[in-house]
Every structure is written in structure tokens, then in C-alpha cells.
Amino acid sequence: MKKPGEFIREEVRNTPPSGIRKYFDMLSGLSDVISLGVGEPDFVTPWQIRESAIYSLEKGRTHYTSNTGLLELRQAVCNMLRKKYNLDYNPLNQIIITVGASEAIDIAIRSIAGPGDEVIIPEPCFVAYKGCVNFAGATAVPLQLKEENRFKLTVEQLKECVTKKTKALILAYPNNPTGAIMTKEELRPIADYLSTKDIVVISDEIYADLTYGTKHFSFAELENMHDKVIYVNGFSKSYSMTGWRLGYVCAHKDIVAEMLKIHQYAIMCAPSFVQYAAIDALEQCEADVERMRKQYDARRRYIYNGLIEIGIDCFLPEGAFYVFPNIKKTGLTSERFCDRLLMEHKVLAVPGTAFSSAGEGYFRATYASSLENIKEALKRMERFVNTL
Amino acid sequence: MDILELLKQDARLTPKELAVMTGKSVEEVEKVIKQYERDKVIAGYSAVINWEKARDNIVVAFIEIKVTPERDYGFEEIAKRIYSYEQVKTCYLMSGAFDIAAVVEGSDLKEVALFVAQKLSAIQGVTATSTHFVLKKYKENDLIFEEEEKDRREAIVL
């Protein structure tokens, strides 16, 4: 007879849990820890958005919405995408409102790739991509991004990974965990190459609003790839709405129609009162987005400069809200560095290896934390580095 | 954020910190701040204190004042006579039902009431006053006085 765990599919069993789970246990015995470990804004959702959710509950808007989401919200998202990123999607048949960008990524991957198919994942990257590919029964093909390329994808590297089985490429800029961005000029050769191939690009642009310097350019804007891009975004990072779980996915109508089936059967629809609040977020909270972005920018400069001053090599991030310092010269592995930083100096950062083996020699620290916390964390890191 | 926004948030930031956060040089920051101070763009630096917590004998009142503007000077001279009192902590020219708003502080109700009656009301041109005592300050200068909500985020999420 099988033991209960043996009923689980091999693809699920063979996928390791998130590499940082052990820190939950390590944290339990410690007090006064400064965590730069979370991938979410420290700001509470702007009051206007919270108030709007309360109002929609008060009004009894508690029913299912259409599977694709409230039309008013889809229209608001499409208007914003047109205005900000020059993207043209029809709210009637080219967008699905999802439960977080996470669901959008999952249904995109499951729609495109299955057993025997390959999905190219540039690494280091957000932890969920590989898991989703595994669960779909497809094969994740890692592509190691390099610091000397400022963690940008190059067409040469991409060509090396493409095979006849390649179904999709996951592109995630601005990037978690590296903070890298890609400009129009840098994306163009990727698009030119892929336009000659039968490969879909799943473009996770959840940090689109958080760039510092150059305005974000969407891969979906490149004409020759527009119909082959599955565009993913959401409310979590821009509007500080992580716990609300609201995202969206846009693509060619024939792709959306198919993805919708998975969403329909698995999820039904995103929570209705959250969708109502999101309309207000889009239509009235642009100033809040900018206010938070400016705060991140000041902290980004502060933490980057602080790291350099204490002798930790770091690449200047241009997007998202992470620094990804290089600790190779300390001679410690990422994990050992982060373990000791936590146990000896009570600062929690995430080892680069949590974001794939390509992250060895790096750690990720978020600057979505108060300046006070960042200052104290830098002091503690300095003490730590001086002992090495 | 620019220098003013950063200083508004925390006036203790050093020129070096400001330089780092704005991408300017320390010299440049110092020069800009000097200019702001000269131009009174930066009028001063002070801590936002919740006096209710620090002392128990403090009373704050919001005074609405109606005045008759003076020929040649308008409201300026009357306003000056009002805000020159040390007890007047804040003073604004207003639109609407009254003309000047003043925030007055004292150690008890009687002191504030007498100050309004004997000093402010007696100023030439002041035709009426209305005193509203502040019972509790919730927020001042962008800062919420209640205990700050603590960071409720999980220490690590993935």
C-alpha cells in the first residue's frame, strides 16, 4: 500500500519548497531582528483604497463578478496601460483580472507549456516561475544572467538556450531580486530574434511603476512581438496592495480565451470588493504611487551608498525595491553569509540562492523598509563585515 | 525626493545623507540649503512635540477672528499685531466666515480665555472672536500622534 505522501505526483514531490523556509524557524528564537527579507512595500495600502473596499462591502457588493473581472476595472486597467505604457488591449476580450500576478503567471504557463515543452527562465529570478513550470509538467531551462551584463538578458545567451522544444521565455523586468531593468534598445534585439520563432514571452512587469531614472518600457510594446506576449501585472507593488491579491494578464484574444478556461475552472473570479477598490486605486491614487516611488528612490540611493561605504560590492539597482550585493570576496556562501548575519547581527536578508543557483555569491535586501531600519541594518552589516 | 521633501520628513538628515539620497554632492546640498534658509523657503527647524504627553498643563485653542481691514495695509498690520504675541503659535489669513485664524497656547483655560478677551479682542480693527479649545490632537505636521502602527509584515515571505 502507498503511504499518503506517495500519492503526490512526482513533479510536485520533486519541486523543493521555497529555499528560505528555514528562516522562519531561525527567526522564532530571536528578538530585535531587522528584516530586509520581505518582498513587499512597507507602506500600508493608501487609505482611499481601503475606504473604497469598505464602502463596497457596505453596499453589499459581495457577489461573483464576471470570470474576467468587472468590466469597469478591465476598462480602467486598459486605459492605464494605454496611457502609461502605450499598450493597446481590448477590455472585452484581451484581459483577465486574476488573484495576484502569481495566478496570472500560473495560468499563462499552464496554457502554453506541458510535458515535453521547455520554458526558458533567466535566473536569478522570482521563486515561483520554476515551480509553476514543474507543476505544468514542462521543463524549466535555466539561463544564467550575469552581473557584468547588469543582469540583463542578451540575445546571444537566449539563442544558446532555445531548442525546438522551447515554448516560452519568462521575462521579468524590472527584476526581482536583482533590481535590473531593460530599456527599449536592449529589448529590441530579443524581440527581433523571437519574432522569427514560435515562442511566447510571458512578461512579468509587476514592478513597472517602480523604476528610478528611465521610465519603464514594456516588452509588449514592441510591435513584432505584441501578439506573442502574455503581459502580467498587478496591484501589489505599485499600490502597496500585496495582501489583497489582485493582478491581471493581457494578451492576444485567442490566448486570453484559452487562459480564461483555467481561471474559470480554478478560480471563478477575483474577490469582488477588492476589484471595486482597485478601480479607485487606478483612477485616483496615481499621486500615492509616485509618493511611494520617490520614497523608495531615496532609500535606494541610501542603502546602495551605505553598502559601498562598508565595502560590500553592489550593482546599482534601477528598478523594483531590492539591492543584490555581491559577497563573493567574503569567501562565504550566500547562505552562510545570511545565516551569520541573522544569528550574529540580527539582520535578515535573503541568500541569492533562494532565487536559483545563479544567485550564489549574492544576497537580496529590500529597501522597502523605513530609513531608520535601513540605517540600523547598515550599521549591523558593517560590524559583521568587519569581523570577516 | 528633493531636499525639501526629505527635510520635511526628517530635519535631522545630514548634508551627507541628503547628498546620497538626492544624487547631489555634499557641497551642492549645503549651498542649496543655505539659499533656502536665506530665502526663508526653509523658515526654521523644530521637533513636532506632543505636548499632551510631555506636560499636563497645556491648553491649545483655535481662535477665529473677524477684523476690519485697514486702509493701505489691508490685513497685514492687524495680523502682525496678533501674531506678535508670544502666546500665538500659528496665524493664518483665511477665506470664508472669518478673517484670521490663530492658534493660541496657554497653561490653563482661564489664561487662554483672558488672553483672547483682554489682548486679541482689544486690538483695533478686531470686531469679533470665537474661541475653540482643542481637546485632542490626532495629527500634526503629517505626523499621527497615536502610537504608530507597528510593521505587521511577516519577517519573510516567499
Side-chain angles (χ1 to χ4, degrees):
Chain A
M1 292 289 277
K2 279 182 173 180
K3 293 193 180 106
E6 290 168 359
F7 288 104
I8 303 297
R9 279 170 64 207
E10 214 173 311
E11 291 88 344
V12 179
R13 263 190 287 163
N14 290 346
T15 301
S18 163
I20 58 166
R21 218 169 52 161
K22 69 166 192 176
Y23 289 103
F24 285 108
D25 303 328
M26 287 168 71
L27 275 165
S28 65
L30 297 172
S31 58
D32 186 33
V33 171
I34 295 180
S35 174
L36 302 182
V38 249
E40 65 174 324
D42 56 319
F43 301 107
V44 179
T45 309
W47 169 240
Q48 191 159 339
I49 303 173
R50 287 184 279 153
E51 198 274 334
S52 164
I54 295 166
Y55 179 73
S56 76
L57 286 173
E58 205 171 87
K59 286 280 161 192
R61 292 168 180 165
T62 56
H63 302 282
Y64 291 133
T65 69
S66 104
N67 292 137
T68 46
L70 290 166
L71 179 59
E72 206 184 338
L73 175 59
R74 283 181 278 140
Q75 274 164 339
V77 171
C78 292
N79 286 344
M80 181 274 290
L81 291 177
R82 186 169 302 115
K83 206 173 99 191
K84 269 195 190 167
Y85 303 115
N86 207 21
L87 298 176
D88 199 15
Y89 289 111
N90 184 341
L92 295 177
N93 55 15
Q94 289 197 280
I95 176 170
I96 305 170
I97 304 296
T98 57
V99 177
S102 300
E103 188 218 327
I105 290 161
D106 182 40
I107 64 174
I109 292 171
R110 281 201 277 164
S111 306
I112 300 296
D117 298 332
E118 293 178 353
V119 177
I120 298 173
I121 306 179
E123 297 176 339
C125 66
F126 176 49
V127 292
Y129 304 141
K130 194 173 174 187
C132 289
V133 171
N134 290 348
F135 300 149
T139 304
V141 176
L143 181 160
Q144 189 162 351
L145 298 169
K146 298 200 173 87
E147 189 180 359
E148 67 244 40
N149 296 332
R150 301 177 73 75
F151 296 109
K152 295 170 195 280
L153 176 64
T154 65
V155 73
E156 292 73 27
Q157 281 188 293
L158 181 59
K159 280 179 183 168
E160 283 172 23
C161 293
V162 169
T163 71
K164 284 200 173 76
K165 295 178 181 171
T166 306
K167 281 292 177 66
L169 161 71
I170 297 179
L171 204 58
Y173 292 96
N175 185 262
N176 167 17
T178 63
I181 61 159
M182 281 185 74
T183 61
K184 182 179 183 178
E185 294 68 35
E186 289 157 349
L187 289 169
R188 168 84 64 200
I190 310 278
D192 289 346
Y193 169 64
L194 288 176
S195 65
T196 65
K197 303 271 172 194
D198 286 326
I199 296 174
V200 164
V201 170
I202 298 170
S203 192
D204 177 358
E205 302 184 21
I206 187 78
Y207 292 98
D209 279 324
L210 301 177
T211 60
Y212 314 100
T214 7
K215 190 175 165 286
H216 175 70
F217 178 83
S218 173
F219 186 75
E221 201 184 323
L222 293 165
E223 248 331 290
N224 55 357
M225 280 301 288
H226 184 71
D227 287 350
K228 291 198 287 180
V229 173
I230 301 182
Y231 176 89
V232 174
N233 203 336
F235 292 83
S236 294
K237 316 292 178 176
S238 311
Y239 297 92
S240 247
M241 289 175 69
T242 45
W244 301 63
R245 310 308 307 122
L246 199 68
Y248 46 91
V249 56
C250 303
H252 186 275
K253 67 179 174 47
D254 295 346
I255 294 179
V256 165
E258 299 301 322
M259 283 196 296
L260 181 60
K261 292 186 215 162
I262 308 182
H263 174 75
Q264 234 165 23
Y265 292 133
I267 302 288
M268 202 86 119
C269 70
S272 47
F273 66 94
V274 170
Q275 293 190 50
Y276 282 105
I279 297 169
D280 273 2
L282 284 168
E283 289 177 349
Q284 292 166 38
C285 295
E286 209 41 49
D288 290 291
V289 174
E290 181 57 11
R291 170 178 59 85
M292 294 188 277
R293 192 194 67 82
K294 283 163 86 176
Q295 294 275 358
Y296 296 137
D297 188 21
R299 297 167 182 181
R300 171 184 75 110
R301 293 164 185 271
Y302 194 96
I303 197 168
Y304 167 77
N305 189 72
L307 289 165
I308 298 295
E309 278 192 343
I310 61 180
I312 298 179
D313 297 332
C314 188
F315 140 90
L316 177 63
E318 293 175 272
F321 40 52
Y322 310 103
V323 278
F324 201 59
N326 181 328
I327 48 157
K328 287 174 184 165
K329 71 180 181 197
T330 65
L332 298 176
T333 63
S334 297
E335 197 158 329
R336 186 81 189 119
F337 184 95
C338 291
D339 288 1
R340 285 186 58 186
L341 185 60
L342 176 61
M343 297 312 284
E344 296 169 22
H345 297 273
K346 296 187 176 177
V347 175
L348 176 59
V350 183
T353 44
F355 310 96
S356 90
S357 57
E360 183 55 85
Y362 301 88
F363 71 88
R364 187 193 80 175
T366 178
Y367 47 87
S369 193
S370 69
L371 192 60
E372 198 186 341
N373 274 349
I374 291 171
K375 280 185 188 178
E376 178 59 26
L378 283 168
K379 271 187 209 157
R380 295 183 189 186
M381 279 189 214
E382 182 173 22
R383 283 201 288 273
F384 176 49
V385 171
N386 287 341
T387 64
L388 296 176
Chain B
M1 297 170 84
D2 64 23
I3 292 173
L4 290 176
E5 288 169 323
L6 286 165
L7 282 176
K8 174 70 185 70
Q9 201 167 285
D10 183 359
R12 294 170 306 173
L13 290 170
T14 63
K16 187 181 168 233
E17 288 173 323
L18 289 166
V20 164
M21 288 192 276
T22 55
K24 295 182 164 66
S25 71
V26 177
E27 295 71 33
E28 213 177 327
V29 168
E30 283 172 338
K31 203 178 128 200
V32 170
I33 291 178
K34 273 261 148 56
Q35 195 58 47
Y36 280 145
E37 289 170 349
R38 246 181 255 134
D39 297 344
K40 291 278 182 189
V41 171
I42 295 176
Y45 304 86
S46 71
V48 180
I49 294 168
N50 184 356
W51 286 111
E52 281 174 40
K53 278 203 168 168
R55 289 182 195 153
D56 46 15
N57 59 336
I58 183 133
V59 171
V60 181
F62 184 87
I63 324 281
E64 298 173 4
I65 306 167
K66 282 187 186 167
V67 305
T68 311
E70 290 171 298
R71 184 170 177 159
D72 295 339
Y73 299 109
F75 294 100
E76 302 305 300
E77 285 301 310
I78 299 173
K80 193 172 177 184
R81 279 179 225 131
I82 292 169
Y83 68 64
S84 294
Y85 281 107
E86 200 265 326
Q87 290 93 327
V88 175
K89 303 299 175 187
T90 301
C91 186
Y92 302 130
L93 179 64
M94 309 293 290
S95 70
F98 58 98
D99 305 302
I100 287 176
V103 175
V104 172
E105 277 180 21
S107 51
D108 56 42
L109 288 180
K110 199 171 161 192
E111 187 187 303
V112 172
L114 284 176
F115 170 73
V116 174
Q118 295 172 351
K119 304 292 182 189
L120 293 189
S121 301
I123 292 171
Q124 201 179 7
V126 170
T127 58
T129 64
S130 175
T131 303
H132 310 270
F133 284 101
V134 173
L135 300 181
K136 186 175 179 179
K137 286 188 181 177
Y138 294 105
K139 186 176 181 181
E140 191 163 285
N141 263 306
D142 269 349
L143 298 169
I144 295 168
F145 277 176
E146 294 296 295
E147 294 295 325
E148 269 295 290
E149 276 261 319
K150 64 173 204 239
D151 195 339
R152 291 178 185 281
R153 294 179 297 169
E154 297 285 335
I156 198 158
V157 184
L158 220 57

